[in-house]
Amino acid sequence: GVQTCALPISGDIVSVKGKDLLLVFDKKQGWLKKYRYRAVDLIDEGSNFKANFWRAPNDNDFGANTPDKLKAWKTATQQSKVESLEANLEGKLAHITVRHALPEVFGTLTMDYWVNSLGQMTVKQTFVADTTQKVEVLPRFGMQWIFPKGFENVEYYGRGPQENYQDRNFSAHVGHYKQSVDEQY
């Protein structure tokens, strides 16, 4: 069964602890910097699970000078400032809310994390733009999680095994696929 999480707050971190679980949030940066389950670290040391507004540019992007036009979005999370961080227990769930100011893109990002003692996590990401300011189009609204070495294999159910798009996927059949990360590139 799911046990209640503990939420120790000390110094510059907030921890979520369960029997086999340790999550650590950095209060200064506001991001999840450690996710350890059953003594295995699942976030690469030195990186964070964080918001990501950038995507890899394609040939059309370079032709339209998009990487330069949208560069504020690439570094928006690096320049973020934590406005507030709250950590509470809600029944058997730990709820962490972090509010970030993103001055480069004139907005506020709110991250809500709900975690149970088994490590199951729900994340809600909300961005509110200052509509009085002009900012280039948002290239991507997502998250970035970098795994440490040792996680080189991918197994998935979906269209594959080759790259495909919604309008060009007739040769990419739905199935169960196993590949290396390099093969996914």
Side-chain angles (χ1 to χ4, degrees), residues 9-31:
I9 300 172
S10 62
D12 294 332
I13 65 168
V14 172
S15 301
V16 177
K17 293 184 177 180
K19 179 179 175 250
D20 294 321
L21 176 71
L22 172 63
L23 276 67
V24 176
F25 290 85
D26 183 315
K27 286 169 46 179
K28 288 183 179 179
Q29 293 181 331
W31 305 116

PDB file of all heavy atoms in Angstrom, residues 9-31:
ATOM      1  N   ILE A   9      12.396  19.664   5.397  1.00  0.00           N
ATOM      2  CA  ILE A   9      12.914  20.891   4.785  1.00  0.00           C
ATOM      3  C   ILE A   9      14.124  21.316   5.594  1.00  0.00           C
ATOM      4  O   ILE A   9      14.035  21.530   6.793  1.00  0.00           O
ATOM      5  CB  ILE A   9      11.850  22.012   4.788  1.00  0.00           C
ATOM      6  CG1 ILE A   9      10.608  21.559   4.005  1.00  0.00           C
ATOM      7  CG2 ILE A   9      12.412  23.296   4.220  1.00  0.00           C
ATOM      8  CD1 ILE A   9       9.433  22.501   4.089  1.00  0.00           C
ATOM      9  N   SER A  10      15.272  21.404   4.911  1.00  0.00           N
ATOM     10  CA  SER A  10      16.481  21.823   5.624  1.00  0.00           C
ATOM     11  C   SER A  10      17.373  22.611   4.683  1.00  0.00           C
ATOM     12  O   SER A  10      17.596  22.208   3.536  1.00  0.00           O
ATOM     13  CB  SER A  10      17.235  20.608   6.182  1.00  0.00           C
ATOM     14  OG  SER A  10      17.657  19.767   5.140  1.00  0.00           O
ATOM     15  N   GLY A  11      17.851  23.733   5.152  1.00  0.00           N
ATOM     16  CA  GLY A  11      18.778  24.539   4.360  1.00  0.00           C
ATOM     17  C   GLY A  11      18.215  24.914   3.002  1.00  0.00           C
ATOM     18  O   GLY A  11      17.165  25.523   2.908  1.00  0.00           O
ATOM     19  N   ASP A  12      18.921  24.498   1.948  1.00  0.00           N
ATOM     20  CA  ASP A  12      18.561  24.874   0.591  1.00  0.00           C
ATOM     21  C   ASP A  12      17.764  23.807  -0.148  1.00  0.00           C
ATOM     22  O   ASP A  12      17.626  23.885  -1.365  1.00  0.00           O
ATOM     23  CB  ASP A  12      19.833  25.192  -0.208  1.00  0.00           C
ATOM     24  CG  ASP A  12      20.542  26.424   0.319  1.00  0.00           C
ATOM     25  OD1 ASP A  12      19.852  27.301   0.883  1.00  0.00           O
ATOM     26  OD2 ASP A  12      21.769  26.516   0.175  1.00  0.00           O
ATOM     27  N   ILE A  13      17.254  22.794   0.569  1.00  0.00           N
ATOM     28  CA  ILE A  13      16.531  21.722  -0.114  1.00  0.00           C
ATOM     29  C   ILE A  13      15.217  21.384   0.575  1.00  0.00           C
ATOM     30  O   ILE A  13      15.030  21.638   1.758  1.00  0.00           O
ATOM     31  CB  ILE A  13      17.386  20.440  -0.231  1.00  0.00           C
ATOM     32  CG1 ILE A  13      17.681  19.839   1.147  1.00  0.00           C
ATOM     33  CG2 ILE A  13      18.653  20.674  -1.028  1.00  0.00           C
ATOM     34  CD1 ILE A  13      18.258  18.429   1.097  1.00  0.00           C
ATOM     35  N   VAL A  14      14.319  20.810  -0.213  1.00  0.00           N
ATOM     36  CA  VAL A  14      13.101  20.181   0.286  1.00  0.00           C
ATOM     37  C   VAL A  14      13.182  18.742  -0.198  1.00  0.00           C
ATOM     38  O   VAL A  14      13.416  18.485  -1.374  1.00  0.00           O
ATOM     39  CB  VAL A  14      11.830  20.845  -0.274  1.00  0.00           C
ATOM     40  CG1 VAL A  14      10.593  20.056   0.113  1.00  0.00           C
ATOM     41  CG2 VAL A  14      11.716  22.276   0.186  1.00  0.00           C
ATOM     42  N   SER A  15      13.005  17.780   0.708  1.00  0.00           N
ATOM     43  CA  SER A  15      13.076  16.367   0.356  1.00  0.00           C
ATOM     44  C   SER A  15      11.706  15.729   0.473  1.00  0.00           C
ATOM     45  O   SER A  15      10.912  16.092   1.329  1.00  0.00           O
ATOM     46  CB  SER A  15      14.029  15.627   1.301  1.00  0.00           C
ATOM     47  OG  SER A  15      15.311  16.179   1.257  1.00  0.00           O
ATOM     48  N   VAL A  16      11.460  14.763  -0.403  1.00  0.00           N
ATOM     49  CA  VAL A  16      10.295  13.907  -0.293  1.00  0.00           C
ATOM     50  C   VAL A  16      10.861  12.519  -0.042  1.00  0.00           C
ATOM     51  O   VAL A  16      11.635  12.001  -0.841  1.00  0.00           O
ATOM     52  CB  VAL A  16       9.447  13.913  -1.577  1.00  0.00           C
ATOM     53  CG1 VAL A  16       8.280  12.940  -1.456  1.00  0.00           C
ATOM     54  CG2 VAL A  16       8.950  15.317  -1.901  1.00  0.00           C
ATOM     55  N   LYS A  17      10.484  11.936   1.106  1.00  0.00           N
ATOM     56  CA  LYS A  17      11.047  10.641   1.485  1.00  0.00           C
ATOM     57  C   LYS A  17       9.950   9.618   1.670  1.00  0.00           C
ATOM     58  O   LYS A  17       8.928   9.890   2.289  1.00  0.00           O
ATOM     59  CB  LYS A  17      11.855  10.762   2.776  1.00  0.00           C
ATOM     60  CG  LYS A  17      13.113  11.590   2.621  1.00  0.00           C
ATOM     61  CD  LYS A  17      13.917  11.607   3.892  1.00  0.00           C
ATOM     62  CE  LYS A  17      15.212  12.383   3.682  1.00  0.00           C
ATOM     63  NZ  LYS A  17      16.019  12.422   4.906  1.00  0.00           N
ATOM     64  N   GLY A  18      10.202   8.430   1.121  1.00  0.00           N
ATOM     65  CA  GLY A  18       9.356   7.263   1.310  1.00  0.00           C
ATOM     66  C   GLY A  18      10.266   6.090   1.611  1.00  0.00           C
ATOM     67  O   GLY A  18      11.485   6.238   1.668  1.00  0.00           O
ATOM     68  N   LYS A  19       9.698   4.925   1.785  1.00  0.00           N
ATOM     69  CA  LYS A  19      10.496   3.734   2.136  1.00  0.00           C
ATOM     70  C   LYS A  19      11.654   3.518   1.158  1.00  0.00           C
ATOM     71  O   LYS A  19      12.791   3.325   1.558  1.00  0.00           O
ATOM     72  CB  LYS A  19       9.591   2.507   2.176  1.00  0.00           C
ATOM     73  CG  LYS A  19      10.300   1.220   2.510  1.00  0.00           C
ATOM     74  CD  LYS A  19       9.333   0.049   2.553  1.00  0.00           C
ATOM     75  CE  LYS A  19      10.094  -1.241   2.779  1.00  0.00           C
ATOM     76  NZ  LYS A  19      10.131  -2.105   1.637  1.00  0.00           N
ATOM     77  N   ASP A  20      11.386   3.528  -0.135  1.00  0.00           N
ATOM     78  CA  ASP A  20      12.409   3.297  -1.161  1.00  0.00           C
ATOM     79  C   ASP A  20      12.657   4.538  -2.011  1.00  0.00           C
ATOM     80  O   ASP A  20      13.197   4.441  -3.114  1.00  0.00           O
ATOM     81  CB  ASP A  20      11.968   2.160  -2.096  1.00  0.00           C
ATOM     82  CG  ASP A  20      11.887   0.823  -1.395  1.00  0.00           C
ATOM     83  OD1 ASP A  20      12.760   0.538  -0.556  1.00  0.00           O
ATOM     84  OD2 ASP A  20      10.944   0.061  -1.695  1.00  0.00           O
ATOM     85  N   LEU A  21      12.268   5.704  -1.522  1.00  0.00           N
ATOM     86  CA  LEU A  21      12.213   6.897  -2.354  1.00  0.00           C
ATOM     87  C   LEU A  21      12.917   8.082  -1.716  1.00  0.00           C
ATOM     88  O   LEU A  21      12.796   8.307  -0.515  1.00  0.00           O
ATOM     89  CB  LEU A  21      10.736   7.270  -2.581  1.00  0.00           C
ATOM     90  CG  LEU A  21      10.443   8.541  -3.358  1.00  0.00           C
ATOM     91  CD1 LEU A  21      10.790   8.347  -4.827  1.00  0.00           C
ATOM     92  CD2 LEU A  21       8.982   8.916  -3.211  1.00  0.00           C
ATOM     93  N   LEU A  22      13.622   8.854  -2.540  1.00  0.00           N
ATOM     94  CA  LEU A  22      14.158  10.151  -2.126  1.00  0.00           C
ATOM     95  C   LEU A  22      14.111  11.097  -3.318  1.00  0.00           C
ATOM     96  O   LEU A  22      14.719  10.837  -4.352  1.00  0.00           O
ATOM     97  CB  LEU A  22      15.602  10.036  -1.627  1.00  0.00           C
ATOM     98  CG  LEU A  22      16.305  11.374  -1.342  1.00  0.00           C
ATOM     99  CD1 LEU A  22      15.601  12.125  -0.202  1.00  0.00           C
ATOM    100  CD2 LEU A  22      17.777  11.162  -1.040  1.00  0.00           C
ATOM    101  N   LEU A  23      13.346  12.175  -3.168  1.00  0.00           N
ATOM    102  CA  LEU A  23      13.332  13.255  -4.144  1.00  0.00           C
ATOM    103  C   LEU A  23      13.881  14.484  -3.450  1.00  0.00           C
ATOM    104  O   LEU A  23      13.567  14.721  -2.274  1.00  0.00           O
ATOM    105  CB  LEU A  23      11.914  13.564  -4.624  1.00  0.00           C
ATOM    106  CG  LEU A  23      11.345  12.716  -5.761  1.00  0.00           C
ATOM    107  CD1 LEU A  23      11.128  11.302  -5.342  1.00  0.00           C
ATOM    108  CD2 LEU A  23      10.074  13.343  -6.267  1.00  0.00           C
ATOM    109  N   VAL A  24      14.694  15.266  -4.163  1.00  0.00           N
ATOM    110  CA  VAL A  24      15.264  16.480  -3.582  1.00  0.00           C
ATOM    111  C   VAL A  24      15.013  17.645  -4.535  1.00  0.00           C
ATOM    112  O   VAL A  24      15.389  17.591  -5.703  1.00  0.00           O
ATOM    113  CB  VAL A  24      16.788  16.325  -3.326  1.00  0.00           C
ATOM    114  CG1 VAL A  24      17.368  17.639  -2.809  1.00  0.00           C
ATOM    115  CG2 VAL A  24      17.056  15.191  -2.348  1.00  0.00           C
ATOM    116  N   PHE A  25      14.366  18.676  -4.007  1.00  0.00           N
ATOM    117  CA  PHE A  25      14.133  19.916  -4.734  1.00  0.00           C
ATOM    118  C   PHE A  25      15.128  20.957  -4.243  1.00  0.00           C
ATOM    119  O   PHE A  25      15.313  21.125  -3.040  1.00  0.00           O
ATOM    120  CB  PHE A  25      12.706  20.435  -4.499  1.00  0.00           C
ATOM    121  CG  PHE A  25      11.648  19.604  -5.142  1.00  0.00           C
ATOM    122  CD1 PHE A  25      11.143  18.480  -4.499  1.00  0.00           C
ATOM    123  CD2 PHE A  25      11.153  19.927  -6.392  1.00  0.00           C
ATOM    124  CE1 PHE A  25      10.162  17.693  -5.081  1.00  0.00           C
ATOM    125  CE2 PHE A  25      10.176  19.151  -6.988  1.00  0.00           C
ATOM    126  CZ  PHE A  25       9.679  18.026  -6.332  1.00  0.00           C
ATOM    127  N   ASP A  26      15.749  21.666  -5.150  1.00  0.00           N
ATOM    128  CA  ASP A  26      16.674  22.746  -4.838  1.00  0.00           C
ATOM    129  C   ASP A  26      15.856  24.025  -4.651  1.00  0.00           C
ATOM    130  O   ASP A  26      15.197  24.488  -5.590  1.00  0.00           O
ATOM    131  CB  ASP A  26      17.667  22.906  -5.991  1.00  0.00           C
ATOM    132  CG  ASP A  26      18.712  23.954  -5.736  1.00  0.00           C
ATOM    133  OD1 ASP A  26      18.362  25.055  -5.265  1.00  0.00           O
ATOM    134  OD2 ASP A  26      19.889  23.697  -6.036  1.00  0.00           O
ATOM    135  N   LYS A  27      15.865  24.584  -3.430  1.00  0.00           N
ATOM    136  CA  LYS A  27      15.051  25.768  -3.143  1.00  0.00           C
ATOM    137  C   LYS A  27      15.542  27.003  -3.884  1.00  0.00           C
ATOM    138  O   LYS A  27      14.741  27.882  -4.201  1.00  0.00           O
ATOM    139  CB  LYS A  27      15.021  26.029  -1.637  1.00  0.00           C
ATOM    140  CG  LYS A  27      14.143  25.021  -0.896  1.00  0.00           C
ATOM    141  CD  LYS A  27      14.256  25.033   0.610  1.00  0.00           C
ATOM    142  CE  LYS A  27      14.223  26.349   1.276  1.00  0.00           C
ATOM    143  NZ  LYS A  27      14.308  26.243   2.753  1.00  0.00           N
ATOM    144  N   LYS A  28      16.833  27.092  -4.183  1.00  0.00           N
ATOM    145  CA  LYS A  28      17.355  28.266  -4.889  1.00  0.00           C
ATOM    146  C   LYS A  28      16.980  28.263  -6.370  1.00  0.00           C
ATOM    147  O   LYS A  28      16.582  29.278  -6.920  1.00  0.00           O
ATOM    148  CB  LYS A  28      18.873  28.354  -4.739  1.00  0.00           C
ATOM    149  CG  LYS A  28      19.320  28.741  -3.356  1.00  0.00           C
ATOM    150  CD  LYS A  28      20.819  28.886  -3.296  1.00  0.00           C
ATOM    151  CE  LYS A  28      21.241  29.296  -1.887  1.00  0.00           C
ATOM    152  NZ  LYS A  28      22.696  29.431  -1.786  1.00  0.00           N
ATOM    153  N   GLN A  29      17.120  27.091  -7.028  1.00  0.00           N
ATOM    154  CA  GLN A  29      16.802  26.997  -8.452  1.00  0.00           C
ATOM    155  C   GLN A  29      15.339  26.605  -8.691  1.00  0.00           C
ATOM    156  O   GLN A  29      14.792  26.877  -9.754  1.00  0.00           O
ATOM    157  CB  GLN A  29      17.712  25.981  -9.140  1.00  0.00           C
ATOM    158  CG  GLN A  29      19.154  26.405  -9.193  1.00  0.00           C
ATOM    159  CD  GLN A  29      20.002  25.365  -9.913  1.00  0.00           C
ATOM    160  OE1 GLN A  29      19.691  24.171  -9.895  1.00  0.00           O
ATOM    161  NE2 GLN A  29      21.057  25.817 -10.561  1.00  0.00           N
ATOM    162  N   GLY A  30      14.739  25.911  -7.720  1.00  0.00           N
ATOM    163  CA  GLY A  30      13.340  25.543  -7.837  1.00  0.00           C
ATOM    164  C   GLY A  30      13.063  24.281  -8.631  1.00  0.00           C
ATOM    165  O   GLY A  30      11.910  23.959  -8.888  1.00  0.00           O
ATOM    166  N   TRP A  31      14.077  23.536  -9.013  1.00  0.00           N
ATOM    167  CA  TRP A  31      13.887  22.339  -9.841  1.00  0.00           C
ATOM    168  C   TRP A  31      14.143  21.080  -9.026  1.00  0.00           C
ATOM    169  O   TRP A  31      14.848  21.099  -8.024  1.00  0.00           O
ATOM    170  CB  TRP A  31      14.825  22.362 -11.046  1.00  0.00           C
ATOM    171  CG  TRP A  31      14.710  23.597 -11.872  1.00  0.00           C
ATOM    172  CD1 TRP A  31      15.683  24.539 -12.066  1.00  0.00           C
ATOM    173  CD2 TRP A  31      13.578  24.062 -12.606  1.00  0.00           C
ATOM    174  NE1 TRP A  31      15.224  25.539 -12.872  1.00  0.00           N
ATOM    175  CE2 TRP A  31      13.927  25.279 -13.219  1.00  0.00           C
ATOM    176  CE3 TRP A  31      12.290  23.563 -12.793  1.00  0.00           C
ATOM    177  CZ2 TRP A  31      13.052  26.000 -14.013  1.00  0.00           C
ATOM    178  CZ3 TRP A  31      11.411  24.291 -13.590  1.00  0.00           C
ATOM    179  CH2 TRP A  31      11.787  25.478 -14.180  1.00  0.00           C
TER     180      TRP A  31
END
